[in-house]
Amino acid sequence: MEARFVHVNVIARDWRRLAAFYEDVFRCVPVPPERHLSGDWLSRATGLPGAALSGVHLRLPSAGEGGPTLEVFQYMDVREQPPQPANRQGLGHIAFEVDDVDSAVAMVQSHGGALVGEVVQRLIKGVGTIRFAYARDPEGNIIELQQWDK
């Protein structure tokens, strides 16, 4: 089997607000069209009776034309949950390499996000020195911000 990475999906309480965060902070670019999906086919695929959603795909920074996207969708019936800790089972976070972690943290915070722990620096033998932090987007999803000195 051949495979190609296509996208990561984030379920939002407010897809427009969350998409704007990723556009403003990380310069993700919307890939039209917006999606407004519903119907029996979606209910069958998701296992959710009456499933209906709206959202957008955002091209990730440094991903070329046709590259992977961050899919930000909002179901019409969203199941709320509190922000999860970094060590919960399942998909943990999305990571962005940035040129200045401290500035990136400030940008995340100024756009409604928050810092999870502290900004730390560590030598990773054979790879380089990483300066990184875990932050949350405005809806509580964890983002790793990393800066490498190789």
Side-chain angles (χ1 to χ4, degrees), residues 74-135:
Q74 175 182 347
Y75 281 85
M76 297 310 111
D77 178 24
V78 176
R79 304 282 166 118
E80 296 276 338
Q81 69 176 10
Q84 300 297 308
N87 65 344
R88 78 167 183 326
Q89 183 181 357
L91 296 175
H93 65 265
I94 184 169
F96 291 93
E97 186 171 353
V98 297
D99 58 357
D100 181 338
V101 168
D102 299 296
S103 293
V105 167
M107 187 98 148
V108 165
Q109 291 172 320
S110 73
H111 285 79
L115 193 60
V116 172
E118 301 175 28
V119 176
V120 298
Q121 187 166 310
R122 173 78 178 181
L123 172 66
I124 308 294
K125 287 186 181 184
V127 181
T129 300
I130 186 171
R131 183 171 173 75
F132 77 103
Y134 278 8

Side-chain angles (χ1 to χ4, degrees), residues 8-26 28 54-56 58 70-74 94 96 108 111-113 136-143:
V8 170
N9 171 266
V10 175
I11 302 302
R13 283 186 301 275
D14 180 341
W15 75 265
R16 290 185 190 281
R17 180 174 177 243
L18 192 60
F21 170 84
Y22 284 96
E23 291 173 50
D24 294 344
V25 175
F26 297 105
C28 293
S54 293
V56 67
L58 301 174
L70 179 62
E71 180 183 70
V72 181
F73 278 176
Q74 175 182 347
I94 184 169
F96 291 93
V108 165
H111 285 79
R136 291 191 190 278
D137 70 22
E139 293 202 1
N141 302 297
I142 297 176
I143 305 164

